[in-house]
Amino acid sequence: MNIDDTPVLDNHLHLDPVNGRNVAAAEEFAAQGGTHLLVLNKPSWHLVEKATDEAIFREVFDLTVEAAAEATDVLDGRTWPVLGVHPALISKLVDDGYTPSEARDIMQTGLDVAAEYVADGEALAMKSGRPHYDVDDAIWAASNEVMCHGFERAADVGCAIQLHTEGGEDFEDVAQWAEKRGLDRTQVVKHYSGGRLRGPVKSVLADKDELEIAVESDEPFLMETDYIDDPDRPGAVLGPKTVPRRVRWLLENGHEEAVRTAHVETPKAVYGIDTEATLDR
Ligand SMILES: [Zn+2]
């Protein structure tokens, strides 16, 4: 089996139609054998001054929906938008003078709008989470409330949710919070995960060591770069070629089954997408 025999999905990548390379990044991905992309909206403050109301969230989401549609044109497969609110927005808002609960309300509004895009068929899934850096108790509590609101809305509209969180391997409690709100843990994805994870489904950063761990664990997993498409930070993250390159490497090492897990079966189980039926080479 070689790379042309399988769909290749990057589960978490950003395209920035305002400042970034945008479609050119998707072309680079495709040239290496990549076929499908989940395109995440950039943090709202990168694209517009500050997201504090519904209209601004819509502006950010519309840009992503449009960028994803344009990128589909250069792929043999397709893209799907994933929309939500970056957890670090809470710190930006608090720095601007909002209380943590006011910031929470604003971010929950953003998630309501994201859920609406999913319900309308314009987006595939949602994104939420909590800060990956130390924050005070009030901000931490508010962030967890935002994330749990995300679980509720994802359960309402029947979609999966990607989480941006602190590092670590045990997120059993987070998976239970989701389930308490009606969202199965198999629809909760920890983005930027290592190869080992308890609780949600892992979206493993395409690093060889972590992928090896994921392959050995024999559990569902996804692969991602978290490419940020930011011209000011080239090389800050993995580039768009990385997932196809790692797929090639996995295949060379005889991990056909793991490739199928990450690029066909887990995407189907988590998002209900069919990466094979949507591939036309
Ligand atoms: Zn990201």
mmCIF file of all heavy atoms in Angstrom, residues 11 161-163 168-169 171 185-205 210-224 261-262 266-267 270-271:
data_model
loop_
_atom_site.group_PDB
_atom_site.id
_atom_site.type_symbol
_atom_site.label_atom_id
_atom_site.label_comp_id
_atom_site.label_asym_id
_atom_site.label_seq_id
_atom_site.Cartn_x
_atom_site.Cartn_y
_atom_site.Cartn_z
ATOM 1 N N ASN A 11 -6.390 16.684 10.745
ATOM 2 C CA ASN A 11 -7.567 16.928 11.585
ATOM 3 C C ASN A 11 -7.630 18.333 12.178
ATOM 4 O O ASN A 11 -8.658 18.715 12.746
ATOM 5 C CB ASN A 11 -7.584 15.909 12.729
ATOM 6 C CG ASN A 11 -8.786 16.074 13.642
ATOM 7 O OD1 ASN A 11 -9.918 15.964 13.200
ATOM 8 N ND2 ASN A 11 -8.538 16.361 14.912
ATOM 9 N N ILE A 161 -16.762 17.862 19.075
ATOM 10 C CA ILE A 161 -16.114 19.106 19.504
ATOM 11 C C ILE A 161 -14.626 18.854 19.713
ATOM 12 O O ILE A 161 -14.229 17.850 20.296
ATOM 13 C CB ILE A 161 -16.803 19.667 20.774
ATOM 14 C CG1 ILE A 161 -16.305 21.074 21.101
ATOM 15 C CG2 ILE A 161 -16.624 18.730 21.968
ATOM 16 C CD1 ILE A 161 -17.220 21.829 22.055
ATOM 17 N N GLN A 162 -13.824 19.732 19.160
ATOM 18 C CA GLN A 162 -12.380 19.677 19.403
ATOM 19 C C GLN A 162 -12.044 20.566 20.594
ATOM 20 O O GLN A 162 -12.594 21.653 20.725
ATOM 21 C CB GLN A 162 -11.592 20.176 18.181
ATOM 22 C CG GLN A 162 -11.672 19.260 16.978
ATOM 23 C CD GLN A 162 -10.609 19.601 15.933
ATOM 24 O OE1 GLN A 162 -9.700 20.401 16.170
ATOM 25 N NE2 GLN A 162 -10.732 18.980 14.765
ATOM 26 N N LEU A 163 -11.140 20.086 21.429
ATOM 27 C CA LEU A 163 -10.732 20.851 22.610
ATOM 28 C C LEU A 163 -9.283 21.275 22.516
ATOM 29 O O LEU A 163 -8.411 20.492 22.161
ATOM 30 C CB LEU A 163 -10.891 20.001 23.873
ATOM 31 C CG LEU A 163 -12.283 19.503 24.211
ATOM 32 C CD1 LEU A 163 -12.231 18.707 25.510
ATOM 33 C CD2 LEU A 163 -13.278 20.662 24.320
ATOM 34 N N GLY A 168 -1.063 17.099 28.947
ATOM 35 C CA GLY A 168 -1.352 16.041 29.907
ATOM 36 C C GLY A 168 -1.945 14.833 29.219
ATOM 37 O O GLY A 168 -2.238 14.866 28.023
ATOM 38 N N GLU A 169 -2.108 13.781 30.006
ATOM 39 C CA GLU A 169 -2.576 12.526 29.421
ATOM 40 C C GLU A 169 -3.881 12.039 30.024
ATOM 41 O O GLU A 169 -4.477 11.097 29.531
ATOM 42 C CB GLU A 169 -1.502 11.441 29.629
ATOM 43 C CG GLU A 169 -0.219 11.762 28.894
ATOM 44 C CD GLU A 169 0.847 10.692 29.077
ATOM 45 O OE1 GLU A 169 0.680 9.804 29.951
ATOM 46 O OE2 GLU A 169 1.850 10.757 28.346
ATOM 47 N N PHE A 171 -7.569 13.024 30.843
ATOM 48 C CA PHE A 171 -8.703 13.944 30.718
ATOM 49 C C PHE A 171 -10.014 13.193 30.927
ATOM 50 O O PHE A 171 -11.029 13.521 30.336
ATOM 51 C CB PHE A 171 -8.659 14.663 29.363
ATOM 52 C CG PHE A 171 -7.551 15.688 29.305
ATOM 53 C CD1 PHE A 171 -6.251 15.310 29.013
ATOM 54 C CD2 PHE A 171 -7.805 17.017 29.598
ATOM 55 C CE1 PHE A 171 -5.220 16.240 28.995
ATOM 56 C CE2 PHE A 171 -6.784 17.962 29.581
ATOM 57 C CZ PHE A 171 -5.486 17.575 29.279
ATOM 58 N N ARG A 185 -18.192 10.627 24.799
ATOM 59 C CA ARG A 185 -16.751 10.935 24.793
ATOM 60 C C ARG A 185 -16.099 10.653 23.439
ATOM 61 O O ARG A 185 -15.046 11.193 23.144
ATOM 62 C CB ARG A 185 -16.037 10.179 25.905
ATOM 63 C CG ARG A 185 -16.095 8.673 25.769
ATOM 64 C CD ARG A 185 -15.307 8.001 26.895
ATOM 65 N NE ARG A 185 -15.851 8.315 28.210
ATOM 66 C CZ ARG A 185 -15.140 8.308 29.349
ATOM 67 N NH1 ARG A 185 -13.857 7.996 29.305
ATOM 68 N NH2 ARG A 185 -15.703 8.570 30.496
ATOM 69 N N THR A 186 -16.730 9.803 22.639
ATOM 70 C CA THR A 186 -16.184 9.531 21.304
ATOM 71 C C THR A 186 -16.402 10.703 20.348
ATOM 72 O O THR A 186 -15.969 10.676 19.214
ATOM 73 C CB THR A 186 -16.828 8.275 20.687
ATOM 74 O OG1 THR A 186 -18.251 8.488 20.618
ATOM 75 C CG2 THR A 186 -16.552 7.049 21.531
ATOM 76 N N GLN A 187 -17.105 11.735 20.822
ATOM 77 C CA GLN A 187 -17.294 12.936 20.003
ATOM 78 C C GLN A 187 -16.505 14.115 20.559
ATOM 79 O O GLN A 187 -16.697 15.255 20.152
ATOM 80 C CB GLN A 187 -18.774 13.296 19.933
ATOM 81 C CG GLN A 187 -19.563 12.174 19.281
ATOM 82 C CD GLN A 187 -20.654 12.716 18.417
ATOM 83 O OE1 GLN A 187 -21.736 12.993 18.898
ATOM 84 N NE2 GLN A 187 -20.352 12.895 17.146
ATOM 85 N N VAL A 188 -15.653 13.814 21.520
ATOM 86 C CA VAL A 188 -14.799 14.840 22.116
ATOM 87 C C VAL A 188 -13.364 14.534 21.704
ATOM 88 O O VAL A 188 -12.865 13.435 21.947
ATOM 89 C CB VAL A 188 -14.927 14.841 23.655
ATOM 90 C CG1 VAL A 188 -14.050 15.924 24.258
ATOM 91 C CG2 VAL A 188 -16.389 15.027 24.068
ATOM 92 N N VAL A 189 -12.722 15.496 21.067
ATOM 93 C CA VAL A 189 -11.381 15.289 20.517
ATOM 94 C C VAL A 189 -10.416 16.241 21.197
ATOM 95 O O VAL A 189 -10.651 17.447 21.216
ATOM 96 C CB VAL A 189 -11.377 15.575 18.994
ATOM 97 C CG1 VAL A 189 -9.966 15.455 18.429
ATOM 98 C CG2 VAL A 189 -12.345 14.644 18.264
ATOM 99 N N LYS A 190 -9.356 15.698 21.757
ATOM 100 C CA LYS A 190 -8.327 16.585 22.289
ATOM 101 C C LYS A 190 -7.331 16.877 21.182
ATOM 102 O O LYS A 190 -6.594 16.002 20.738
ATOM 103 C CB LYS A 190 -7.605 15.983 23.493
ATOM 104 C CG LYS A 190 -6.570 16.983 24.060
ATOM 105 C CD LYS A 190 -5.757 16.389 25.172
ATOM 106 C CE LYS A 190 -4.700 17.300 25.755
ATOM 107 N NZ LYS A 190 -4.139 18.360 24.957
ATOM 108 N N HIS A 191 -7.342 18.126 20.751
ATOM 109 C CA HIS A 191 -6.413 18.547 19.728
ATOM 110 C C HIS A 191 -5.043 18.763 20.373
ATOM 111 O O HIS A 191 -4.935 18.978 21.564
ATOM 112 C CB HIS A 191 -7.013 19.791 19.033
ATOM 113 C CG HIS A 191 -6.153 20.993 18.962
ATOM 114 N ND1 HIS A 191 -5.109 21.086 18.080
ATOM 115 C CD2 HIS A 191 -6.188 22.168 19.624
ATOM 116 C CE1 HIS A 191 -4.543 22.282 18.229
ATOM 117 N NE2 HIS A 191 -5.166 22.949 19.159
ATOM 118 N N TYR A 192 -3.975 18.634 19.554
ATOM 119 C CA TYR A 192 -2.592 18.803 20.044
ATOM 120 C C TYR A 192 -2.282 17.777 21.133
ATOM 121 O O TYR A 192 -1.650 18.090 22.140
ATOM 122 C CB TYR A 192 -2.407 20.228 20.580
ATOM 123 C CG TYR A 192 -1.029 20.804 20.318
ATOM 124 C CD1 TYR A 192 -0.787 21.546 19.157
ATOM 125 C CD2 TYR A 192 0.017 20.624 21.213
ATOM 126 C CE1 TYR A 192 0.467 22.082 18.902
ATOM 127 C CE2 TYR A 192 1.277 21.151 20.961
ATOM 128 C CZ TYR A 192 1.492 21.879 19.820
ATOM 129 O OH TYR A 192 2.729 22.410 19.573
ATOM 130 N N SER A 193 -2.708 16.561 20.920
ATOM 131 C CA SER A 193 -2.498 15.513 21.923
ATOM 132 C C SER A 193 -1.182 14.793 21.672
ATOM 133 O O SER A 193 -0.668 14.772 20.556
ATOM 134 C CB SER A 193 -3.651 14.508 21.842
ATOM 135 O OG SER A 193 -3.453 13.453 22.772
ATOM 136 N N GLY A 194 -0.674 14.192 22.730
ATOM 137 C CA GLY A 194 0.405 13.238 22.583
ATOM 138 C C GLY A 194 -0.193 11.890 22.205
ATOM 139 O O GLY A 194 -1.403 11.763 22.009
ATOM 140 N N GLY A 195 0.642 10.873 22.149
ATOM 141 C CA GLY A 195 0.190 9.559 21.715
ATOM 142 C C GLY A 195 -0.608 8.790 22.758
ATOM 143 O O GLY A 195 -1.252 7.798 22.463
ATOM 144 N N ARG A 196 -0.562 9.269 23.990
ATOM 145 C CA ARG A 196 -1.238 8.585 25.095
ATOM 146 C C ARG A 196 -2.297 9.522 25.653
ATOM 147 O O ARG A 196 -1.993 10.680 25.959
ATOM 148 C CB ARG A 196 -0.203 8.313 26.195
ATOM 149 C CG ARG A 196 -0.211 6.929 26.737
ATOM 150 C CD ARG A 196 0.908 6.716 27.761
ATOM 151 N NE ARG A 196 2.103 6.114 27.189
ATOM 152 C CZ ARG A 196 3.287 6.719 27.066
ATOM 153 N NH1 ARG A 196 3.453 7.949 27.488
ATOM 154 N NH2 ARG A 196 4.308 6.100 26.530
ATOM 155 N N LEU A 197 -3.525 9.036 25.821
ATOM 156 C CA LEU A 197 -4.571 9.912 26.356
ATOM 157 C C LEU A 197 -5.693 9.098 26.972
ATOM 158 O O LEU A 197 -6.130 8.095 26.404
ATOM 159 C CB LEU A 197 -5.144 10.793 25.227
ATOM 160 C CG LEU A 197 -6.112 11.888 25.663
ATOM 161 C CD1 LEU A 197 -5.369 12.994 26.413
ATOM 162 C CD2 LEU A 197 -6.836 12.492 24.454
ATOM 163 N N ARG A 198 -6.187 9.562 28.120
ATOM 164 C CA ARG A 198 -7.381 8.965 28.733
ATOM 165 C C ARG A 198 -8.524 9.944 28.610
ATOM 166 O O ARG A 198 -8.366 11.128 28.895
ATOM 167 C CB ARG A 198 -7.137 8.721 30.229
ATOM 168 C CG ARG A 198 -6.497 7.384 30.539
ATOM 169 C CD ARG A 198 -6.526 7.123 32.040
ATOM 170 N NE ARG A 198 -7.883 6.856 32.530
ATOM 171 C CZ ARG A 198 -8.289 7.120 33.774
ATOM 172 N NH1 ARG A 198 -7.481 7.682 34.635
ATOM 173 N NH2 ARG A 198 -9.527 6.827 34.136
ATOM 174 N N GLY A 199 -9.697 9.452 28.216
ATOM 175 C CA GLY A 199 -10.875 10.314 28.143
ATOM 176 C C GLY A 199 -11.321 10.533 26.713
ATOM 177 O O GLY A 199 -11.948 9.663 26.111
ATOM 178 N N PRO A 200 -10.985 11.707 26.153
ATOM 179 C CA PRO A 200 -11.422 12.008 24.787
ATOM 180 C C PRO A 200 -10.627 11.226 23.733
ATOM 181 O O PRO A 200 -9.687 10.500 24.051
ATOM 182 C CB PRO A 200 -11.125 13.513 24.650
ATOM 183 C CG PRO A 200 -10.844 14.009 26.029
ATOM 184 C CD PRO A 200 -10.337 12.841 26.801
ATOM 185 N N VAL A 201 -10.995 11.431 22.481
ATOM 186 C CA VAL A 201 -10.248 10.877 21.353
ATOM 187 C C VAL A 201 -9.021 11.764 21.123
ATOM 188 O O VAL A 201 -9.095 12.984 21.223
ATOM 189 C CB VAL A 201 -11.146 10.877 20.083
ATOM 190 C CG1 VAL A 201 -10.362 10.386 18.871
ATOM 191 C CG2 VAL A 201 -12.399 10.040 20.319
ATOM 192 N N LYS A 202 -7.894 11.156 20.815
ATOM 193 C CA LYS A 202 -6.687 11.965 20.648
ATOM 194 C C LYS A 202 -6.453 12.355 19.192
ATOM 195 O O LYS A 202 -6.550 11.534 18.295
ATOM 196 C CB LYS A 202 -5.473 11.220 21.206
ATOM 197 C CG LYS A 202 -5.267 9.842 20.640
ATOM 198 C CD LYS A 202 -4.438 8.977 21.600
ATOM 199 C CE LYS A 202 -4.448 7.524 21.135
ATOM 200 N NZ LYS A 202 -3.988 6.586 22.171
ATOM 201 N N SER A 203 -6.167 13.632 19.001
ATOM 202 C CA SER A 203 -5.702 14.109 17.705
ATOM 203 C C SER A 203 -4.218 14.385 17.890
ATOM 204 O O SER A 203 -3.825 15.393 18.478
ATOM 205 C CB SER A 203 -6.462 15.367 17.291
ATOM 206 O OG SER A 203 -5.979 15.828 16.045
ATOM 207 N N VAL A 204 -3.408 13.456 17.412
ATOM 208 C CA VAL A 204 -1.986 13.461 17.744
ATOM 209 C C VAL A 204 -1.213 14.397 16.816
ATOM 210 O O VAL A 204 -1.336 14.323 15.597
ATOM 211 C CB VAL A 204 -1.411 12.028 17.644
ATOM 212 C CG1 VAL A 204 0.067 11.999 18.004
ATOM 213 C CG2 VAL A 204 -2.206 11.082 18.550
ATOM 214 N N LEU A 205 -0.464 15.277 17.429
ATOM 215 C CA LEU A 205 0.433 16.136 16.678
ATOM 216 C C LEU A 205 1.399 15.223 15.908
ATOM 217 O O LEU A 205 1.933 14.284 16.470
ATOM 218 C CB LEU A 205 1.196 17.036 17.647
ATOM 219 C CG LEU A 205 1.890 18.216 16.987
ATOM 220 C CD1 LEU A 205 0.862 19.227 16.489
ATOM 221 C CD2 LEU A 205 2.834 18.883 17.970
ATOM 222 N N GLU A 210 5.455 10.564 19.119
ATOM 223 C CA GLU A 210 4.079 10.492 19.633
ATOM 224 C C GLU A 210 3.229 9.569 18.761
ATOM 225 O O GLU A 210 2.370 8.838 19.262
ATOM 226 C CB GLU A 210 3.465 11.889 19.708
ATOM 227 C CG GLU A 210 4.171 12.826 20.682
ATOM 228 C CD GLU A 210 4.216 12.303 22.115
ATOM 229 O OE1 GLU A 210 3.325 11.539 22.517
ATOM 230 O OE2 GLU A 210 5.169 12.660 22.842
ATOM 231 N N LEU A 211 3.464 9.603 17.453
ATOM 232 C CA LEU A 211 2.706 8.717 16.563
ATOM 233 C C LEU A 211 3.016 7.257 16.855
ATOM 234 O O LEU A 211 2.118 6.412 16.850
ATOM 235 C CB LEU A 211 3.010 9.043 15.096
ATOM 236 C CG LEU A 211 2.376 10.343 14.577
ATOM 237 C CD1 LEU A 211 2.897 10.665 13.182
ATOM 238 C CD2 LEU A 211 0.854 10.265 14.580
ATOM 239 N N GLU A 212 4.271 6.975 17.134
ATOM 240 C CA GLU A 212 4.627 5.593 17.461
ATOM 241 C C GLU A 212 3.883 5.113 18.704
ATOM 242 O O GLU A 212 3.393 3.985 18.751
ATOM 243 C CB GLU A 212 6.142 5.461 17.672
ATOM 244 C CG GLU A 212 6.834 5.071 16.382
ATOM 245 C CD GLU A 212 8.353 5.084 16.476
ATOM 246 O OE1 GLU A 212 8.898 5.554 17.497
ATOM 247 O OE2 GLU A 212 8.971 4.629 15.499
ATOM 248 N N ILE A 213 3.789 5.997 19.685
ATOM 249 C CA ILE A 213 3.055 5.649 20.907
ATOM 250 C C ILE A 213 1.579 5.405 20.582
ATOM 251 O O ILE A 213 0.973 4.437 21.035
ATOM 252 C CB ILE A 213 3.200 6.773 21.963
ATOM 253 C CG1 ILE A 213 4.661 6.887 22.409
ATOM 254 C CG2 ILE A 213 2.286 6.521 23.155
ATOM 255 C CD1 ILE A 213 4.962 8.130 23.239
ATOM 256 N N ALA A 214 1.018 6.290 19.764
ATOM 257 C CA ALA A 214 -0.395 6.147 19.387
ATOM 258 C C ALA A 214 -0.624 4.830 18.650
ATOM 259 O O ALA A 214 -1.602 4.121 18.917
ATOM 260 C CB ALA A 214 -0.838 7.324 18.526
ATOM 261 N N VAL A 215 0.263 4.499 17.735
ATOM 262 C CA VAL A 215 0.121 3.266 16.963
ATOM 263 C C VAL A 215 0.167 2.052 17.895
ATOM 264 O O VAL A 215 -0.656 1.149 17.806
ATOM 265 C CB VAL A 215 1.228 3.175 15.881
ATOM 266 C CG1 VAL A 215 1.255 1.785 15.255
ATOM 267 C CG2 VAL A 215 1.031 4.254 14.817
ATOM 268 N N GLU A 216 1.100 2.069 18.822
ATOM 269 C CA GLU A 216 1.232 0.949 19.761
ATOM 270 C C GLU A 216 0.013 0.802 20.657
ATOM 271 O O GLU A 216 -0.369 -0.306 21.025
ATOM 272 C CB GLU A 216 2.465 1.145 20.653
ATOM 273 C CG GLU A 216 3.734 0.620 20.023
ATOM 274 C CD GLU A 216 4.963 1.152 20.748
ATOM 275 O OE1 GLU A 216 4.915 1.286 21.995
ATOM 276 O OE2 GLU A 216 5.954 1.473 20.066
ATOM 277 N N SER A 217 -0.598 1.935 21.022
ATOM 278 C CA SER A 217 -1.727 1.875 21.961
ATOM 279 C C SER A 217 -2.955 1.232 21.329
ATOM 280 O O SER A 217 -3.854 0.780 22.018
ATOM 281 C CB SER A 217 -2.089 3.274 22.456
ATOM 282 O OG SER A 217 -2.867 3.935 21.476
ATOM 283 N N ASP A 218 -2.989 1.220 19.975
ATOM 284 C CA ASP A 218 -4.059 0.514 19.279
ATOM 285 C C ASP A 218 -5.447 1.065 19.617
ATOM 286 O O ASP A 218 -6.404 0.313 19.743
ATOM 287 C CB ASP A 218 -3.968 -0.981 19.625
ATOM 288 C CG ASP A 218 -4.615 -1.833 18.534
ATOM 289 O OD1 ASP A 218 -4.692 -1.352 17.389
ATOM 290 O OD2 ASP A 218 -5.060 -2.954 18.854
ATOM 291 N N GLU A 219 -5.536 2.357 19.820
ATOM 292 C CA GLU A 219 -6.824 3.014 20.077
ATOM 293 C C GLU A 219 -7.140 3.938 18.909
ATOM 294 O O GLU A 219 -6.246 4.277 18.141
ATOM 295 C CB GLU A 219 -6.736 3.858 21.354
ATOM 296 C CG GLU A 219 -6.545 3.060 22.616
ATOM 297 C CD GLU A 219 -6.052 3.924 23.790
ATOM 298 O OE1 GLU A 219 -5.688 5.105 23.573
ATOM 299 O OE2 GLU A 219 -6.022 3.414 24.907
ATOM 300 N N PRO A 220 -8.408 4.414 18.811
ATOM 301 C CA PRO A 220 -8.723 5.386 17.765
ATOM 302 C C PRO A 220 -7.846 6.625 17.918
ATOM 303 O O PRO A 220 -7.560 7.039 19.036
ATOM 304 C CB PRO A 220 -10.186 5.742 18.031
ATOM 305 C CG PRO A 220 -10.733 4.613 18.828
ATOM 306 C CD PRO A 220 -9.583 4.073 19.631
ATOM 307 N N PHE A 221 -7.406 7.206 16.811
ATOM 308 C CA PHE A 221 -6.677 8.468 16.876
ATOM 309 C C PHE A 221 -6.768 9.188 15.541
ATOM 310 O O PHE A 221 -7.142 8.598 14.531
ATOM 311 C CB PHE A 221 -5.213 8.274 17.300
ATOM 312 C CG PHE A 221 -4.293 7.698 16.240
ATOM 313 C CD1 PHE A 221 -3.395 8.514 15.561
ATOM 314 C CD2 PHE A 221 -4.323 6.345 15.935
ATOM 315 C CE1 PHE A 221 -2.529 7.990 14.586
ATOM 316 C CE2 PHE A 221 -3.463 5.813 14.959
ATOM 317 C CZ PHE A 221 -2.569 6.637 14.292
ATOM 318 N N LEU A 222 -6.453 10.469 15.594
ATOM 319 C CA LEU A 222 -6.420 11.311 14.403
ATOM 320 C C LEU A 222 -5.026 11.910 14.318
ATOM 321 O O LEU A 222 -4.248 11.814 15.271
ATOM 322 C CB LEU A 222 -7.484 12.415 14.519
ATOM 323 C CG LEU A 222 -8.931 11.908 14.566
ATOM 324 C CD1 LEU A 222 -9.822 12.872 15.336
ATOM 325 C CD2 LEU A 222 -9.479 11.691 13.170
ATOM 326 N N MET A 223 -4.706 12.531 13.181
ATOM 327 C CA MET A 223 -3.398 13.171 13.035
ATOM 328 C C MET A 223 -3.591 14.629 12.639
ATOM 329 O O MET A 223 -4.510 14.957 11.897
ATOM 330 C CB MET A 223 -2.570 12.452 11.959
ATOM 331 C CG MET A 223 -2.014 11.114 12.416
ATOM 332 S SD MET A 223 -1.335 10.109 11.061
ATOM 333 C CE MET A 223 0.069 11.095 10.542
ATOM 334 N N GLU A 224 -2.718 15.494 13.140
ATOM 335 C CA GLU A 224 -2.861 16.920 12.829
ATOM 336 C C GLU A 224 -1.509 17.629 12.853
ATOM 337 O O GLU A 224 -0.528 17.128 13.411
ATOM 338 C CB GLU A 224 -3.773 17.596 13.853
ATOM 339 C CG GLU A 224 -3.160 17.630 15.261
ATOM 340 C CD GLU A 224 -3.902 18.577 16.206
ATOM 341 O OE1 GLU A 224 -5.057 18.282 16.537
ATOM 342 O OE2 GLU A 224 -3.300 19.606 16.595
ATOM 343 N N THR A 261 -6.957 3.577 10.581
ATOM 344 C CA THR A 261 -7.592 4.062 11.809
ATOM 345 C C THR A 261 -7.662 5.587 11.813
ATOM 346 O O THR A 261 -8.719 6.172 12.064
ATOM 347 C CB THR A 261 -6.778 3.602 13.044
ATOM 348 O OG1 THR A 261 -6.817 2.175 13.092
ATOM 349 C CG2 THR A 261 -7.353 4.161 14.332
ATOM 350 N N ALA A 262 -6.544 6.245 11.508
ATOM 351 C CA ALA A 262 -6.460 7.701 11.654
ATOM 352 C C ALA A 262 -7.127 8.451 10.505
ATOM 353 O O ALA A 262 -7.529 9.610 10.688
ATOM 354 C CB ALA A 262 -4.997 8.127 11.773
ATOM 355 N N THR A 266 -11.474 6.500 12.364
ATOM 356 C CA THR A 266 -11.724 7.466 13.433
ATOM 357 C C THR A 266 -12.487 8.690 12.908
ATOM 358 O O THR A 266 -13.425 9.147 13.565
ATOM 359 C CB THR A 266 -10.419 7.854 14.154
ATOM 360 O OG1 THR A 266 -9.738 6.647 14.554
ATOM 361 C CG2 THR A 266 -10.688 8.695 15.381
ATOM 362 N N PRO A 267 -12.126 9.245 11.738
ATOM 363 C CA PRO A 267 -12.939 10.355 11.210
ATOM 364 C C PRO A 267 -14.418 9.980 11.064
ATOM 365 O O PRO A 267 -15.302 10.789 11.350
ATOM 366 C CB PRO A 267 -12.307 10.650 9.845
ATOM 367 C CG PRO A 267 -10.898 10.162 9.957
ATOM 368 C CD PRO A 267 -10.941 8.980 10.889
ATOM 369 N N VAL A 270 -15.958 9.668 14.711
ATOM 370 C CA VAL A 270 -16.057 10.922 15.470
ATOM 371 C C VAL A 270 -16.999 11.906 14.786
ATOM 372 O O VAL A 270 -17.891 12.476 15.422
ATOM 373 C CB VAL A 270 -14.667 11.573 15.629
ATOM 374 C CG1 VAL A 270 -14.784 12.963 16.245
ATOM 375 C CG2 VAL A 270 -13.759 10.693 16.484
ATOM 376 N N TYR A 271 -16.794 12.125 13.510
ATOM 377 C CA TYR A 271 -17.503 13.205 12.801
ATOM 378 C C TYR A 271 -18.604 12.693 11.866
ATOM 379 O O TYR A 271 -19.351 13.503 11.308
ATOM 380 C CB TYR A 271 -16.525 14.013 11.944
ATOM 381 C CG TYR A 271 -15.355 14.596 12.694
ATOM 382 C CD1 TYR A 271 -14.069 14.088 12.522
ATOM 383 C CD2 TYR A 271 -15.534 15.681 13.561
ATOM 384 C CE1 TYR A 271 -12.985 14.630 13.191
ATOM 385 C CE2 TYR A 271 -14.447 16.227 14.234
ATOM 386 C CZ TYR A 271 -13.177 15.700 14.047
ATOM 387 O OH TYR A 271 -12.108 16.228 14.703
#
